[in-house]
Amino acid sequence: MADQIPLYPVRSAAAAGHKRAAYYSSAGPGPGADRRGRYQLEEESAHLDEMPLMMSEEGFENDESDYHTLPRARIARRKRGLEWFVCGGWKFLCASCCDWLINICQRKKELKARTVWLGCPEKSEEKHPRNSIKNQKYNVFTFIPGVLYEQFKFFLNLYFLVVSCSQFVPALKIGYLYTYWAPLGFVLAVTITREAIDEFRRFQRDKEVNSQLYSKLTIRGKVQVKSSDIQVGDLIIVEKNQRIPSDMVFLRTSEKAGSCFIRTDQLDGETDWKLKVAVSCTQRLPALGDLFSISAYVYAQKPQLDIHSFEGTFTREDSDPPVHESLSIENTLWASTIVASGTVIGVVIYTGKETRSVMNTSNPKNKIGLLDLELNQLTKALFLALVVLSVVMVTLQGFAGPWYRNLFRFLLLFSYIIPISLRVNLDMGKAAYGWMIMKDENIPGTVVRTSTIPEELGRLVYLLTDKTGTLTQNEMTFRRLHLGTVSYGADTMDEIQTHVLSSCSQVALVRWTESVGLTLVSRDLTSMQLKTPGGQVLTYCILQVFPFTSESKRMGVIVRDESTAEITFYMKGADVAMSSIVQYNDWLEEECGNMAREGLRTLVVAKKSLTEEQYQDFESRYSQAKLSLHDRMLKVAAVVESLERDMELLCLTGVEDQLQADVRPTLEMLRNAGIKIWMLTGDKLETATCIAKSSHLVSRSQDIHIFRPVTSRGEAHLELNAFRRKHDCALVISGDSLEVCLKYYEHELVELACQCPAVVCCRCSPTQKAHIVSLLRQHTGRRTCAIGDGGNDVSMIQAADCGIGIEGKEGKQASLAADFSITQFRHVGRLLMVHGRNSYKRSAALGQFVMHRGLIISTMQAVFSSVFYFASVPLYQGFLMVGYATIYTMFPVFSLVLDQDVKPEMAILYPELYKDLTKGRSLSFKTFLIWVLISIYQGGILMFGALVLFEAEFVHVVAISFTALVLTELLMVALTIRTWHWLMVVAEFLSLGCYVASLAFLNEYFGIGRVSFGAFLDVAFITTVPFLWKVSAITVVSCLPLYVLKYLKRKLSPPSYSKLSS
C-alpha cells in the first residue's frame, strides 16, 4: 500500500539521511535518542526512513533541515559549554539533582499482578496503598518550606531577602531595618495566609470524601468502615446511588438478573449507563454469608491506566473440579463510578493511588502566570542595570579605600531600582480582579479558586473543551425515524412526541416506542417482554448479547421468539460500521449525511434470521473463543463477524443531544477573538463530529478531514501526508491514532494540527486529554485554557495554563479542581473578553508604573551621589523612603486596577480586540524601555532642577526635590489613566493631603542624609512664594513634555480600541 501512494520526490537518499540525522541529533537526549534504534527494527517501514515527512510543498528544496524552518515546532540546537550553563543550564542541573534525590527518597514501587483472597486482606503478600484521596499540595512539615520555596524561586523576592539580610551587617547598614523587613514580611504573610486557606479548604474536601461510610462484610456480619480504611481483599457493599470507593471485582447483586448498571460519567465522561455482570459462581450462592464458606481468590493484572480493559480470573478451590471463570471489564466496578441500580457486593482489588481514576488524574501544580514570568525577566534586567550603575560609581571613585564595601553600599543605595512593592501591588491587584469577577452580575455563580492567574484569561490562544455537559446539555431528544421509503420527524408525525431524557440515545428510543404504543414490560439478562398496541405480550428469550466497543462501533443481540421459536439476530450501530454489513440499498448514506448535517446522532438498525443449526454452530465456536487465553478479543470478534453478513436494513434513527444555551454565538465570539478551539471528548467519533457541526465549532463551509485509524509507523506516515495536502480543513482524530502519531511524528502532527481552524479528538482517555494540553503548551509556547465539567476532565484542567470548570450534571469534581468555576459555557465569553482583558491591561500598567516609581528615585540618588563626589550616602532617610512607596503614592498607583480602556459592551461586541492582547504588547521590553527613559528624564530633571534653583538655600534641596517628586508621581498616574473613576480622584487628593499633613511631623528627615549637620525643615520657608513657584516649575518641566507626547501619539497613531470608544 505504501508503494501505491505517491510521496513528494526526495533529491537523494543520502540527503534524506543527512537531514534525518540532523533532526534526531538536534532532538538531544530523551525519547528522540532511542528512536532511531527502534525504527531500524521495523522492517515494514524501513523504506520510510528514505522519505522524511514533509511539512511544505517545497519539500527539500532548502539546504537547511526542514525541521529547523518549521514556524513553531522549531527544535533548538543544543548549546554547549559556558553558553549552555548561563542560558539556563544551571537550572537544568539543579532540577536533575533534586529529581535524583527525590527518586532516592521515594523509590516508586513496581506495580505487579496480584492474587486477592475473598474477605482475607491479611493474606495479601504485598503492602498496598491506603484508600484515601489526597488533593493537597503540602503536609504539616512541607507547608512552610514549600511556600517559601515557591516565593523565593522568584528572582525579585530572593533579591530582597539578600538585601534585607545585608542590613544586619553594621558596615553595610544604609537605613532603618523596618524599611527593608516590613514590606518583605508583609508579602510573605499575605502569601502564606492565602496558601494556608486554600490548603485547608482542599483538606476539608478530601476529608469529606475519605470519611464516607461503607458496609464491609465480615464473618461476624456487616460493619461500618470509612472509605480511607478499605483494604485490598475486603468485601464491600455499595448501595444504589452511592459512589464506589475503590476498584472492585463484582461478586453479587440484589438484582435477580445478576447484573447492575453503573454511571461512569465521572470517570470517562460518557453519560450512558454501563451494564456490569456479577461473577456467576458467587452470584449463584444461596446467601450473602456463603461468601465466607468458600475458598476463592481473584487473580488481577497489575494496576494500569486503561479504563476500558481488564484481564483476570476467578478461581474457586474448594469445589471438585476447581471452578475457573475468566474476568473482563464487564465484571469490574471502578472507583468514582456510581451504582445506578440495586445493591452490589465486590471484592477490592486496587486501592488509593492504584485505582484507575487516581492513575488517570495528574497531581495539582502551582500555576504561574505569563505576566509574572515576564516581570521576573524585567527584574533581572533591572538587577543588571543596578550592578552596572554601582560598578560605574565605584570606578568613578577611583576604587579608593575599601572599594568592595562601597560597591555593596551602592548596590543597597540603588536597590529601589527593583521595588519590593511590585509584588504587594500585583497580589492585591489580583485579589481585586478576583473579587470583581465574582461580583459580576452578568456571570452569576462564577468562583475564582486560584487568585494568582486572572491575567491569563487575557492571553489565551488555545481553548480545549470537553463535549458532553460542557457544550451540550447532556439531554437526549428523539427527532427522526427513516424507514427507507418514508421519513418521519417530530413535525410530520403527530404520534412522535419528543422526550427529554437524562441518559442516552437508547433510553430516548425506548421512551419514544412507548409513546407510539410499543412498551417494554420487563428485561433481565435472559429474557424480555414487549406489549403491542393491541395489548398482546410478546416474550423473547435472549440467547447472546454483543456489547458496544469502540472498535466495532456496533452492538447486537440474538433472541428467540417464545411463541414461534424463530431465532433473530438484531444489530444497531454507527452508519460507518453498518453500511458494509447490510444488504445493498440506495438511501442509507444520503440520509445519514442529511441527519448528521442537522446535528443528530444516527443509529442504523438491521436484522438477520437464523436457523437452529446455524445458531448451534455459532454458539459452539463462540464459547470456544471466549475460553482462549491468547488473543481472546480477536478470536471472539472474528466469530461474531461471521454472522454479520448480508443483514436486512430495518431503519435509521436520529437522536439529538441538545446544545447548551448560546453555545454557537459564544464559540463564534471566541473564534473571532483569534482563539483556536479544540474539542477533546471520550465520546464516539460520529457523535463528536455531529456536535462539532451543530455547535458551529466547524463552520458549514469548512471541510472535515477524518483521520483514518492507524496502528503502525508506516500507516501514520501515509495518513499524515494525505492530511498535509488538505488546506483549511478541520481535523477529527481518535485517541488510538493520536497515540501512534505522537509516538513517531510528534512535531509534525502538532505542527499540522495547529494550522487547522478546529480540531476534534474523540475516544480520549483523561490522561490523553492532559497530554494533548501539555504538548500544545510545549510546542507552541502559547497560553492554553481547558474547560470541562466531569471528573474525567480534571487532569486536562490541571495541565492547562488556565483551567475552567463547569458545575454540571456530572458533579462538582471539575469545578473544584479548576482555577475558575462557572455555571454555563456561555459565561466563558465575558470571562475572557471583559475580565481577561481588564486584568491583563491593568496588571501590565500597574507593574510598569511601580517599576517607574523605583527607577525615578534611583536616578535621583545617582545624580545626588555624583554631585557629592560619588559618596555612598542616602538622599532620603528612613520614613521618607517607606512613605514614598506607601501612603504618598500607593493609593493613586493602586487605583490603576479600576482603569479600563474599553467598555465591557464594546469588548464583547468587537472580540477582535482580544487578538492584540495575545501578542503581549502591553508589557514588553519595548514598553519597559520607554518607562526607563521616562524615569531617567524625570529623575534627572527633578534632581538637577533642585540643585540649580536652590543654590542659596542648599540645605532645602531634599525638601524641594521630594515635594516635586511626589507631585510628579501623582501627575504621572493621571497621565496613565484611560477612564476616570471617582475613587481615582479621591486617591489622588488623599495622597496629596497625607503628604502636606506629614510635612509638619517629618522635618527631621528633610536634611541631606547624614551630612545635613542638623539642617531641619524650615516651615516658614515652605510657605514662601519662591518655594512654591520653584517646585511648580520643576514639576511642570518633568511632566509637561510627556503630556504633549501622549496627546500627539493619540492624534497621529491612535490604538485600535480608541476608534471604538470615540
Side-chain angles (χ1 to χ4, degrees):
M1 181 184 172
D3 300 323
Q4 294 160 11
I5 294 184
L7 286 167
Y8 294 101
V10 179
R11 279 188 304 183
S12 72
H18 166 71
K19 288 173 189 291
R20 199 171 59 259
Y23 169 51
Y24 287 120
S25 63
S26 65
D34 66 292
R35 273 186 202 166
R36 262 191 298 179
R38 189 167 69 232
Y39 292 164
Q40 283 158 4
L41 299 175
E42 294 191 18
E43 292 298 326
E44 52 94 22
S45 62
H47 69 283
L48 291 169
D49 281 352
E50 305 308 320
M51 307 181 198
L53 186 75
M54 289 156 293
M55 308 303 294
S56 61
E57 289 292 344
E58 290 79 47
F60 293 125
E61 293 311 308
N62 313 328
D63 282 335
E64 210 184 353
S65 168
D66 293 341
Y67 296 100
H68 293 163
T69 56
L70 297 184
R72 287 206 193 91
R74 288 195 189 88
I75 302 147
R77 295 181 178 87
R78 292 295 298 269
K79 291 172 180 162
R80 294 270 170 243
L82 187 65
E83 185 193 358
W84 173 81
F85 186 79
V86 172
C87 298
W90 60 276
K91 267 190 191 169
F92 173 74
L93 289 175
C94 293
S96 304
C97 293
C98 291
D99 288 346
W100 179 75
L101 282 169
I102 289 166
N103 287 337
I104 293 287
C105 298
Q106 27 169 282
R107 296 217 165 202
K108 278 203 174 171
K109 195 180 75 176
E110 194 186 339
L111 300 174
K112 292 177 185 167
R114 59 196 58 186
T115 301
V116 180
W117 291 84
L118 268 56
C120 303
E122 64 281 354
K123 279 194 182 179
S124 180
E125 300 153 13
E126 299 262 331
K127 195 167 182 267
H128 300 295
R130 276 193 76 213
N131 192 47
S132 58
I133 285 175
K134 186 173 182 289
N135 287 313
Q136 290 155 258
K137 293 181 191 172
Y138 311 103
N139 59 33
V140 178
F141 303 107
T142 60
F143 178 72
I144 294 292
V147 174
L148 290 178
Y149 168 73
E150 285 298 329
Q151 283 306 300
F152 291 124
K153 77 178 183 186
F154 274 110
F155 180 77
L156 183 69
N157 294 359
L158 184 64
Y159 166 76
F160 266 96
L161 181 68
V162 173
V163 168
S164 302
C165 291
S166 72
Q167 292 304 286
F168 289 116
V169 180
L172 302 175
K173 195 169 181 211
I174 293 287
Y176 300 95
L177 276 178
Y178 68 81
T179 60
Y180 290 93
W181 281 99
L184 186 66
F186 178 72
V187 171
L188 291 179
V190 169
T191 308
I192 290 172
T193 308
R194 192 180 60 211
E195 273 296 328
I197 293 167
D198 287 351
E199 194 67 0
F200 183 66
R201 284 181 186 153
R202 280 192 285 268
F203 166 74
Q204 282 185 312
R205 290 203 295 267
D206 291 346
K207 191 178 174 188
E208 192 182 322
V209 176
N210 292 329
S211 303
Q212 284 179 351
L213 292 175
Y214 289 88
S215 297
K216 173 176 154 183
L217 202 61
T218 63
I219 297 178
R220 294 181 297 282
K222 293 181 190 175
V223 293
Q224 291 287 300
V225 61
K226 280 184 185 173
S227 171
S228 56
D229 295 335
I230 290 171
Q231 294 174 290
V232 171
D234 281 347
L235 297 177
I236 302 295
I237 300 169
V238 187
E239 304 291 338
K240 184 179 176 180
N241 290 329
Q242 212 176 3
R243 185 185 75 90
I244 293 171
S246 56
D247 288 356
M248 308 198 289
V249 166
F250 184 14
L251 299 179
R252 278 179 77 87
T253 173
S254 57
E255 304 281 292
K256 291 193 196 104
S259 63
C260 79
F261 283 98
I262 62 164
R263 297 204 301 271
T264 62
D265 46 22
Q266 287 293 321
L267 186 65
D268 59 12
E270 293 189 18
T271 49
D272 44 345
W273 294 3
K274 307 284 190 299
L275 181 73
K276 296 290 177 178
V277 182
V279 175
S280 57
C281 178
T282 49
Q283 179 65 26
R284 284 198 301 265
L285 294 172
L288 197 56
D290 293 339
L291 285 169
F292 285 97
S293 64
I294 64 169
S295 172
Y297 65 83
V298 168
Y299 174 78
Q301 64 182 158
K302 69 177 184 182
Q304 56 185 31
L305 284 168
D306 190 358
I307 55 179
H308 299 297
S309 71
F310 174 75
E311 284 177 16
T313 53
F314 174 87
T315 307
R316 181 177 174 181
E317 283 192 326
D318 58 350
S319 64
D320 191 27
V323 176
H324 296 286
E325 260 188 69
S326 73
L327 301 176
S328 67
I329 188 70
E330 64 179 11
N331 306 114
T332 59
L333 304 167
W334 294 147
S336 295
T337 57
I338 290 165
V339 178
S341 66
T343 301
V344 303
I345 295 101
V347 60
V348 176
I349 53 171
Y350 310 123
T351 51
K353 291 185 293 201
E354 294 177 347
T355 60
R356 294 290 205 269
S357 64
V358 175
M359 288 178 86
N360 274 287
T361 308
S362 53
N363 292 325
K365 60 179 176 44
N366 285 314
K367 293 186 180 180
I368 299 163
L370 184 59
L371 186 99
D372 291 325
L373 295 173
E374 288 168 345
L375 285 170
N376 203 38
Q377 293 296 343
L378 294 181
T379 50
K380 288 177 186 174
L382 286 174
F383 178 70
L384 201 64
L386 164 68
V387 173
V388 169
L389 186 59
S390 305
V391 170
V392 167
M393 284 294 185
V394 173
T395 309
L396 291 172
Q397 266 186 343
F399 292 99
W403 62 269
Y404 47 86
R405 195 180 75 187
N406 288 341
L407 177 67
F408 209 95
R409 281 178 65 85
F410 275 124
L411 284 171
L412 294 172
L413 272 181
F414 299 135
S415 67
Y416 282 92
I417 283 185
I418 305 174
I420 187 145
S421 52
L422 181 62
R423 283 234 66 83
V424 184
N425 277 293
L426 285 176
D427 284 354
M428 285 164 59
K430 288 170 196 280
Y433 310 142
W435 184 82
M436 288 173 195
I437 291 171
M438 291 198 274
K439 289 286 171 223
D440 189 341
E441 291 169 1
N442 295 296
I443 46 173
T446 302
V447 181
V448 177
R449 297 194 193 279
T450 307
S451 55
T452 53
I453 55 167
E455 301 91 0
E456 291 293 274
L457 294 169
R459 309 288 296 275
L460 302 174
V461 178
Y462 290 96
L463 181 81
L464 300 102
T465 172
D466 176 41
K467 177 187 73 68
T468 315
T470 304
L471 297 178
T472 64
Q473 292 179 20
N474 225 344
E475 293 176 345
M476 304 297 169
T477 315
F478 182 70
R479 288 287 184 203
R480 199 171 287 282
L481 173 68
H482 201 291
L483 300 172
T485 50
V486 61
S487 171
Y488 299 105
D491 49 348
T492 57
M493 186 171 149
D494 295 340
E495 305 99 280
I496 293 185
Q497 300 156 3
T498 56
H499 284 276
V500 176
L501 299 147
S502 58
S503 179
C504 76
S505 45
Q506 283 94 320
V507 185
L509 296 175
V510 172
R511 291 280 177 91
W512 175 75
T513 57
E514 184 182 16
S515 74
V516 293
L518 185 67
T519 313
L520 177 67
V521 179
S522 68
R523 160 81 156 86
D524 58 31
L525 278 182
T526 55
S527 68
M528 70 188 292
Q529 288 185 316
L530 301 175
K531 190 178 184 181
T532 64
Q536 184 189 355
V537 175
L538 306 173
T539 307
Y540 292 92
C541 176
I542 297 169
L543 302 174
Q544 298 287 354
V545 175
F546 312 113
F548 176 88
T549 67
S550 55
E551 288 78 32
S552 69
K553 295 185 173 59
R554 52 190 180 266
M555 62 193 296
V557 64
I558 299 179
V559 295
R560 179 189 276 123
D561 188 334
E562 292 288 332
S563 57
T564 63
E566 278 180 13
I567 298 174
T568 314
F569 172 37
Y570 288 100
M571 179 157 270
K572 70 177 178 69
D575 54 295
V576 182
M578 297 292 288
S579 55
S580 58
I581 291 170
V582 297
Q583 294 165 351
Y584 173 75
N585 61 82
D586 57 0
W587 58 272
L588 180 62
E589 192 177 339
E590 186 184 343
E591 285 304 321
C592 282
N594 291 342
M595 287 192 192
R597 276 188 286 278
E598 291 176 44
L600 302 182
R601 300 166 78 156
T602 53
L603 275 180
V604 179
V605 186
K607 75 166 189 176
K608 183 179 189 176
S609 297
L610 303 174
T611 63
E612 187 67 40
E613 293 76 37
Q614 281 175 318
Y615 174 68
Q616 292 303 335
D617 170 56
F618 166 78
E619 192 190 29
S620 67
R621 288 185 293 125
Y622 189 62
S623 304
Q624 221 172 341
K626 277 174 82 174
L627 286 171
S628 64
L629 291 171
H630 302 292
D631 299 331
R632 186 192 299 173
M633 285 173 73
L634 288 173
K635 288 175 183 173
V636 168
V639 175
V640 176
E641 274 175 26
S642 67
L643 274 189
E644 298 169 346
R645 288 175 192 155
D646 210 25
M647 297 185 75
E648 181 190 340
L649 176 58
L650 291 176
C651 67
L652 175 67
T653 63
V655 173
E656 182 181 28
D657 183 1
Q658 293 182 318
L659 292 171
Q660 281 196 23
D662 293 337
V663 160
R664 290 187 186 114
T666 304
L667 286 175
E668 195 170 334
M669 180 198 293
L670 295 172
R671 255 209 315 272
N672 292 341
I675 296 172
K676 292 192 173 183
I677 303 159
W678 290 32
M679 185 165 87
L680 312 180
T681 174
D683 222 324
K684 300 186 277 291
L685 185 137
E686 292 72 26
T687 317
T689 314
C690 276
I691 296 297
K693 287 176 180 170
S694 64
S695 65
H696 295 179
L697 175 73
V698 176
S699 61
R700 290 185 183 278
S701 59
Q702 253 164 16
D703 286 338
I704 293 182
H705 177 82
I706 294 180
F707 204 90
R708 284 190 320 212
V710 295
T711 51
S712 66
R713 184 178 179 223
E715 290 174 6
H717 180 100
L718 298 171
E719 191 55 28
L720 277 168
N721 255 355
F723 173 46
R724 189 182 59 74
R725 296 184 190 115
K726 300 276 182 82
H727 293 290
D728 192 43
C729 72
L731 171 66
V732 178
I733 186 169
S734 70
D736 300 339
S737 304
L738 185 74
E739 202 67 35
V740 175
C741 291
L742 291 178
K743 186 176 174 186
Y744 301 117
Y745 294 115
E746 187 179 285
H747 292 286
E748 293 82 341
L749 178 70
V750 177
E751 174 62 25
L752 284 169
C754 287
Q755 291 166 8
C756 294
V759 176
V760 177
C761 299
C762 52
R763 303 306 288 179
C764 274
S765 69
T767 328
Q768 270 179 329
K769 288 184 177 185
H771 185 50
I772 292 166
V773 174
S774 306
L775 274 177
L776 267 181
R777 289 179 61 196
Q778 187 185 323
H779 279 268
T780 64
R782 301 304 188 114
R783 305 319 265 179
T784 57
C785 172
I787 176 166
D789 69 321
N792 60 315
D793 302 317
V794 170
S795 294
M796 164 173 89
I797 284 170
Q798 290 177 339
D801 295 298
C802 170
I804 300 176
I806 295 181
E807 281 191 25
K809 293 193 170 172
E810 295 189 14
K812 287 190 172 183
Q813 212 170 335
S815 78
L816 290 173
D819 305 306
F820 302 91
S821 167
I822 57 177
T823 53
Q824 289 182 348
F825 183 81
R826 64 192 175 123
H827 292 168
V828 172
R830 187 176 177 87
L831 191 64
L832 268 54
M833 299 303 122
V834 177
H835 294 289
R837 177 183 194 83
N838 287 343
S839 300
Y840 170 57
K841 285 269 188 182
R842 289 163 176 172
S843 279
L846 183 63
Q848 291 179 116
F849 204 92
V850 173
M851 285 182 178
H852 158 74
R853 196 169 64 183
L855 277 163
I856 194 170
I857 205 162
S858 298
T859 307
M860 293 173 76
Q861 175 70 54
V863 172
F864 171 77
S865 290
S866 306
V867 170
F868 281 90
Y869 309 103
F870 311 106
S872 53
V873 173
L875 169 59
Y876 302 128
Q877 285 282 308
F879 190 81
L880 282 190
M881 292 304 286
V882 176
Y884 171 66
T886 53
I887 58 166
Y888 298 154
T889 59
M890 189 176 81
F891 301 118
V893 171
F894 188 69
S895 71
L896 288 171
V897 303
L898 299 168
D899 192 18
Q900 60 179 33
D901 57 348
V902 175
K903 286 194 170 71
E905 303 76 42
M906 282 290 174
I908 289 172
L909 190 60
Y910 298 102
E912 291 79 6
L913 290 172
Y914 190 89
K915 287 180 188 173
D916 280 350
L917 305 183
T918 56
K919 294 168 186 165
R921 288 177 180 164
S922 298
L923 175 71
S924 61
F925 267 103
K926 180 185 168 186
T927 58
F928 171 67
L929 283 172
I930 291 169
W931 275 107
V932 169
L933 293 173
I934 290 171
S935 308
I936 292 171
Y937 166 74
Q938 290 186 323
I941 290 291
L942 292 173
M943 202 64 228
F944 279 120
L947 293 170
V948 168
L949 293 178
F950 289 86
E951 278 173 25
E953 312 92 346
F954 199 68
V955 288
H956 298 134
V957 162
V958 173
I960 306 308
S961 60
F962 196 79
T963 307
L965 173 64
V966 171
L967 288 174
T968 298
E969 280 300 297
L970 298 182
L971 287 171
M972 284 301 290
V973 171
L975 176 70
T976 308
I977 287 169
R978 287 166 288 219
T979 311
W980 283 88
H981 186 283
W982 65 270
L983 279 172
M984 296 173 170
V985 181
V986 171
E988 290 268 335
F989 285 107
L990 181 68
S991 293
L992 192 60
C994 285
Y995 177 65
V996 172
S998 68
L999 285 175
F1001 305 106
L1002 297 176
N1003 56 359
E1004 65 189 274
Y1005 288 111
F1006 283 107
I1008 303 175
R1010 291 178 187 162
V1011 292
S1012 58
F1013 307 114
F1016 291 111
L1017 181 69
D1018 184 351
V1019 179
F1021 163 67
I1022 283 182
T1023 52
T1024 59
V1025 174
F1027 172 86
L1028 294 173
W1029 81 255
K1030 286 177 179 179
V1031 165
S1032 304
I1034 294 171
T1035 310
V1036 166
V1037 173
S1038 77
C1039 292
L1040 189 62
L1042 297 172
Y1043 271 83
V1044 172
L1045 284 171
K1046 182 184 177 182
Y1047 175 77
L1048 290 173
K1049 187 171 184 291
R1050 284 201 74 117
K1051 277 287 174 200
L1052 300 173
S1053 68
S1056 52
Y1057 59 79
S1058 67
K1059 298 166 191 170
L1060 298 175
S1061 47
S1062 60

